[in-house]
PDB file of all heavy atoms in Angstrom:
ATOM      1  N   TYR B 171      34.678 -11.725 -35.020  1.00 88.00           N
ATOM      2  CA  TYR B 171      33.606 -12.448 -35.705  1.00 88.00           C
ATOM      3  C   TYR B 171      32.504 -12.820 -34.720  1.00 88.00           C
ATOM      4  O   TYR B 171      31.336 -12.515 -34.923  1.00 88.00           O
ATOM      5  CB  TYR B 171      34.211 -13.698 -36.336  1.00 88.00           C
ATOM      6  CG  TYR B 171      33.259 -14.550 -37.123  1.00 88.00           C
ATOM      7  CD1 TYR B 171      32.951 -14.235 -38.433  1.00 88.00           C
ATOM      8  CD2 TYR B 171      32.679 -15.672 -36.545  1.00 88.00           C
ATOM      9  CE1 TYR B 171      32.076 -15.008 -39.159  1.00 88.00           C
ATOM     10  CE2 TYR B 171      31.809 -16.453 -37.265  1.00 88.00           C
ATOM     11  CZ  TYR B 171      31.518 -16.129 -38.573  1.00 88.00           C
ATOM     12  OH  TYR B 171      30.647 -16.900 -39.272  1.00 88.00           O
ATOM     13  N   PHE B 175      28.222 -11.476 -33.940  1.00 91.00           N
ATOM     14  CA  PHE B 175      27.040 -12.338 -33.786  1.00 91.00           C
ATOM     15  C   PHE B 175      26.437 -12.211 -32.380  1.00 91.00           C
ATOM     16  O   PHE B 175      25.206 -12.158 -32.247  1.00 91.00           O
ATOM     17  CB  PHE B 175      27.417 -13.803 -34.038  1.00 91.00           C
ATOM     18  CG  PHE B 175      27.454 -14.126 -35.498  1.00 91.00           C
ATOM     19  CD1 PHE B 175      28.604 -13.956 -36.256  1.00 91.00           C
ATOM     20  CD2 PHE B 175      26.321 -14.601 -36.133  1.00 91.00           C
ATOM     21  CE1 PHE B 175      28.631 -14.235 -37.600  1.00 91.00           C
ATOM     22  CE2 PHE B 175      26.336 -14.908 -37.475  1.00 91.00           C
ATOM     23  CZ  PHE B 175      27.494 -14.724 -38.209  1.00 91.00           C
ATOM     24  N   THR B 211      21.356 -18.925 -26.496  1.00 88.00           N
ATOM     25  CA  THR B 211      21.815 -20.298 -26.779  1.00 88.00           C
ATOM     26  C   THR B 211      21.896 -20.603 -28.273  1.00 88.00           C
ATOM     27  O   THR B 211      22.876 -21.199 -28.711  1.00 88.00           O
ATOM     28  CB  THR B 211      20.923 -21.370 -26.126  1.00 88.00           C
ATOM     29  OG1 THR B 211      20.079 -20.721 -25.213  1.00 88.00           O
ATOM     30  CG2 THR B 211      21.748 -22.425 -25.450  1.00 88.00           C
ATOM     31  N   PRO B 212      20.910 -20.223 -29.076  1.00 85.00           N
ATOM     32  CA  PRO B 212      21.033 -20.537 -30.500  1.00 85.00           C
ATOM     33  C   PRO B 212      22.318 -19.966 -31.086  1.00 85.00           C
ATOM     34  O   PRO B 212      23.038 -20.634 -31.822  1.00 85.00           O
ATOM     35  CB  PRO B 212      19.815 -19.876 -31.151  1.00 85.00           C
ATOM     36  CG  PRO B 212      18.842 -19.709 -30.039  1.00 85.00           C
ATOM     37  CD  PRO B 212      19.648 -19.537 -28.789  1.00 85.00           C
ATOM     38  N   THR B 213      22.614 -18.708 -30.730  1.00 88.00           N
ATOM     39  CA  THR B 213      23.830 -18.070 -31.228  1.00 88.00           C
ATOM     40  C   THR B 213      25.060 -18.806 -30.723  1.00 88.00           C
ATOM     41  O   THR B 213      26.016 -19.033 -31.455  1.00 88.00           O
ATOM     42  CB  THR B 213      23.871 -16.608 -30.744  1.00 88.00           C
ATOM     43  OG1 THR B 213      22.610 -16.016 -30.955  1.00 88.00           O
ATOM     44  CG2 THR B 213      24.918 -15.826 -31.487  1.00 88.00           C
ATOM     45  N   VAL B 214      25.060 -19.190 -29.447  1.00 89.00           N
ATOM     46  CA  VAL B 214      26.216 -19.879 -28.867  1.00 89.00           C
ATOM     47  C   VAL B 214      26.493 -21.172 -29.629  1.00 89.00           C
ATOM     48  O   VAL B 214      27.631 -21.449 -30.026  1.00 89.00           O
ATOM     49  CB  VAL B 214      26.002 -20.173 -27.379  1.00 89.00           C
ATOM     50  CG1 VAL B 214      27.106 -21.060 -26.832  1.00 89.00           C
ATOM     51  CG2 VAL B 214      25.956 -18.860 -26.587  1.00 89.00           C
ATOM     52  N   PHE B 215      25.466 -21.961 -29.879  1.00 86.00           N
ATOM     53  CA  PHE B 215      25.662 -23.232 -30.572  1.00 86.00           C
ATOM     54  C   PHE B 215      26.124 -23.002 -32.001  1.00 86.00           C
ATOM     55  O   PHE B 215      27.003 -23.688 -32.475  1.00 86.00           O
ATOM     56  CB  PHE B 215      24.400 -24.076 -30.528  1.00 86.00           C
ATOM     57  CG  PHE B 215      24.339 -24.873 -29.271  1.00 86.00           C
ATOM     58  CD1 PHE B 215      23.855 -24.345 -28.112  1.00 86.00           C
ATOM     59  CD2 PHE B 215      24.807 -26.192 -29.236  1.00 86.00           C
ATOM     60  CE1 PHE B 215      23.811 -25.071 -26.938  1.00 86.00           C
ATOM     61  CE2 PHE B 215      24.773 -26.940 -28.086  1.00 86.00           C
ATOM     62  CZ  PHE B 215      24.277 -26.365 -26.930  1.00 86.00           C
ATOM     63  N   PHE B 216      25.506 -22.069 -32.639  1.00 87.00           N
ATOM     64  CA  PHE B 216      25.896 -21.750 -34.003  1.00 87.00           C
ATOM     65  C   PHE B 216      27.369 -21.395 -34.050  1.00 87.00           C
ATOM     66  O   PHE B 216      28.141 -21.941 -34.839  1.00 87.00           O
ATOM     67  CB  PHE B 216      25.042 -20.582 -34.519  1.00 87.00           C
ATOM     68  CG  PHE B 216      25.556 -19.940 -35.756  1.00 87.00           C
ATOM     69  CD1 PHE B 216      25.351 -20.537 -36.985  1.00 87.00           C
ATOM     70  CD2 PHE B 216      26.232 -18.746 -35.690  1.00 87.00           C
ATOM     71  CE1 PHE B 216      25.846 -19.950 -38.151  1.00 87.00           C
ATOM     72  CE2 PHE B 216      26.722 -18.134 -36.825  1.00 87.00           C
ATOM     73  CZ  PHE B 216      26.533 -18.737 -38.055  1.00 87.00           C
ATOM     74  N   LEU B 217      27.787 -20.490 -33.149  1.00 90.00           N
ATOM     75  CA  LEU B 217      29.165 -20.043 -33.178  1.00 90.00           C
ATOM     76  C   LEU B 217      30.115 -21.136 -32.771  1.00 90.00           C
ATOM     77  O   LEU B 217      31.223 -21.248 -33.304  1.00 90.00           O
ATOM     78  CB  LEU B 217      29.339 -18.831 -32.244  1.00 90.00           C
ATOM     79  CG  LEU B 217      28.763 -17.525 -32.803  1.00 90.00           C
ATOM     80  CD1 LEU B 217      28.938 -16.400 -31.785  1.00 90.00           C
ATOM     81  CD2 LEU B 217      29.445 -17.156 -34.096  1.00 90.00           C
ATOM     82  N   LEU B 218      29.703 -21.990 -31.847  1.00 90.00           N
ATOM     83  CA  LEU B 218      30.579 -23.079 -31.396  1.00 90.00           C
ATOM     84  C   LEU B 218      30.936 -23.960 -32.575  1.00 90.00           C
ATOM     85  O   LEU B 218      32.095 -24.276 -32.813  1.00 90.00           O
ATOM     86  CB  LEU B 218      29.877 -23.885 -30.303  1.00 90.00           C
ATOM     87  CG  LEU B 218      30.786 -24.869 -29.577  1.00 90.00           C
ATOM     88  CD1 LEU B 218      31.882 -24.129 -28.826  1.00 90.00           C
ATOM     89  CD2 LEU B 218      29.990 -25.750 -28.628  1.00 90.00           C
ATOM     90  N   VAL B 219      29.927 -24.320 -33.341  1.00 88.00           N
ATOM     91  CA  VAL B 219      30.186 -25.203 -34.501  1.00 88.00           C
ATOM     92  C   VAL B 219      31.079 -24.478 -35.527  1.00 88.00           C
ATOM     93  O   VAL B 219      32.059 -25.011 -36.008  1.00 88.00           O
ATOM     94  CB  VAL B 219      28.864 -25.656 -35.142  1.00 88.00           C
ATOM     95  CG1 VAL B 219      29.126 -26.436 -36.410  1.00 88.00           C
ATOM     96  CG2 VAL B 219      28.083 -26.500 -34.169  1.00 88.00           C
ATOM     97  N   ILE B 220      30.732 -23.243 -35.810  1.00 88.00           N
ATOM     98  CA  ILE B 220      31.518 -22.479 -36.780  1.00 88.00           C
ATOM     99  C   ILE B 220      32.961 -22.325 -36.307  1.00 88.00           C
ATOM    100  O   ILE B 220      33.909 -22.538 -37.049  1.00 88.00           O
ATOM    101  CB  ILE B 220      30.906 -21.066 -36.962  1.00 88.00           C
ATOM    102  CG1 ILE B 220      29.519 -21.159 -37.568  1.00 88.00           C
ATOM    103  CG2 ILE B 220      31.827 -20.183 -37.805  1.00 88.00           C
ATOM    104  CD1 ILE B 220      29.501 -21.301 -39.047  1.00 88.00           C
ATOM    105  N   GLN B 283      25.375 -28.870 -37.453  1.00 78.00           N
ATOM    106  CA  GLN B 283      24.944 -27.486 -37.471  1.00 78.00           C
ATOM    107  C   GLN B 283      23.537 -27.368 -38.100  1.00 78.00           C
ATOM    108  O   GLN B 283      22.625 -26.824 -37.512  1.00 78.00           O
ATOM    109  CB  GLN B 283      25.958 -26.678 -38.264  1.00 78.00           C
ATOM    110  CG  GLN B 283      25.500 -25.357 -38.810  1.00 78.00           C
ATOM    111  CD  GLN B 283      25.356 -24.367 -37.708  1.00 78.00           C
ATOM    112  OE1 GLN B 283      25.954 -24.508 -36.652  1.00 78.00           O
ATOM    113  NE2 GLN B 283      24.540 -23.355 -37.916  1.00 78.00           N
ATOM    114  N   VAL B 287      21.282 -27.859 -34.623  1.00 64.00           N
ATOM    115  CA  VAL B 287      21.369 -26.521 -34.060  1.00 64.00           C
ATOM    116  C   VAL B 287      20.318 -25.598 -34.675  1.00 64.00           C
ATOM    117  O   VAL B 287      19.556 -24.954 -33.981  1.00 64.00           O
ATOM    118  CB  VAL B 287      22.773 -25.958 -34.265  1.00 64.00           C
ATOM    119  CG1 VAL B 287      22.834 -24.555 -33.750  1.00 64.00           C
ATOM    120  CG2 VAL B 287      23.772 -26.840 -33.555  1.00 64.00           C
ATOM    121  N   GLU B 288      20.253 -25.609 -35.983  1.00 61.00           N
ATOM    122  CA  GLU B 288      19.330 -24.662 -36.611  1.00 61.00           C
ATOM    123  C   GLU B 288      17.867 -24.998 -36.310  1.00 61.00           C
ATOM    124  O   GLU B 288      17.028 -24.110 -36.261  1.00 61.00           O
ATOM    125  CB  GLU B 288      19.521 -24.699 -38.140  1.00 61.00           C
ATOM    126  CG  GLU B 288      20.946 -24.306 -38.507  1.00 61.00           C
ATOM    127  CD  GLU B 288      20.993 -23.231 -39.550  1.00 61.00           C
ATOM    128  OE1 GLU B 288      20.235 -23.332 -40.526  1.00 61.00           O
ATOM    129  OE2 GLU B 288      21.775 -22.307 -39.363  1.00 61.00           O
TER     130      GLU B 288
END
Side-chain angles (χ1 to χ4, degrees):
Chain B
Y171 182 83
F175 278 88
T211 349
T213 314
V214 171
F215 273 84
F216 165 79
L217 286 178
L218 191 64
V219 175
I220 296 277
Q283 159 73 21
V287 178
E288 300 231 315

